[in-house]
Amino acid sequence: HHPLLMLDKSHTPPALRQRLLEIMFETHNLPSVFFLRDAIAACYAVGRTTATVVDVGYSGTMVTPVYEGFVERSGVLRNNACGARNIEERVLEMMDGLVVSQGGRKRKER
């Protein structure tokens, strides 16, 4: 059996983390589990302990301040209107006005 390191988001509810622990210990017989915030892992990956981590996901963007290896929970910002999905939708809306021809892109006449 091996220990398990799990990365989780700064906004993961403690009850969910507790339930995951129960499953890991009871179902998989793990000797130990450690939860590491993904923002802290990102800092460590670049050799920093203090940083502002910006995570742009498909459904939203999260900004997490990390100071000396700890997440400053009061400064965590989450915006579900600025994810890659929204950017993709906007680009597709913009491209809808274009016509592609052999010579390249041309504006569609309206």
Side-chain angles (χ1 to χ4, degrees), residues 41-105:
C43 289
Y44 290 165
V46 294
R48 305 273 182 178
T49 57
T50 299
T52 300
V53 179
V54 179
D55 180 4
V56 180
Y58 186 69
S59 62
T61 298
M62 179 170 286
V63 178
T64 307
V66 178
Y67 179 73
E68 295 297 326
F70 293 93
V71 170
E72 294 288 335
R73 289 189 55 86
S74 62
V76 175
L77 301 173
R78 185 175 172 191
N79 186 333
N80 292 332
C82 296
R85 176 180 49 221
N86 302 96
I87 295 168
E88 176 185 36
E89 288 170 0
R90 180 68 180 125
V91 168
L92 289 174
E93 285 173 12
M94 292 167 55
M95 289 177 66
D96 188 41
L98 299 175
V99 174
V100 178
S101 67
Q102 277 188 327
R105 293 186 186 150

Side-chain angles (χ1 to χ4, degrees), residues 16-26 33 35:
L16 177 58
R17 203 173 296 117
Q18 179 66 33
R19 182 68 182 126
L20 284 170
L21 279 172
E22 290 172 8
I23 292 168
M24 291 301 150
F25 285 129
E26 294 171 4
V33 176
F35 286 97

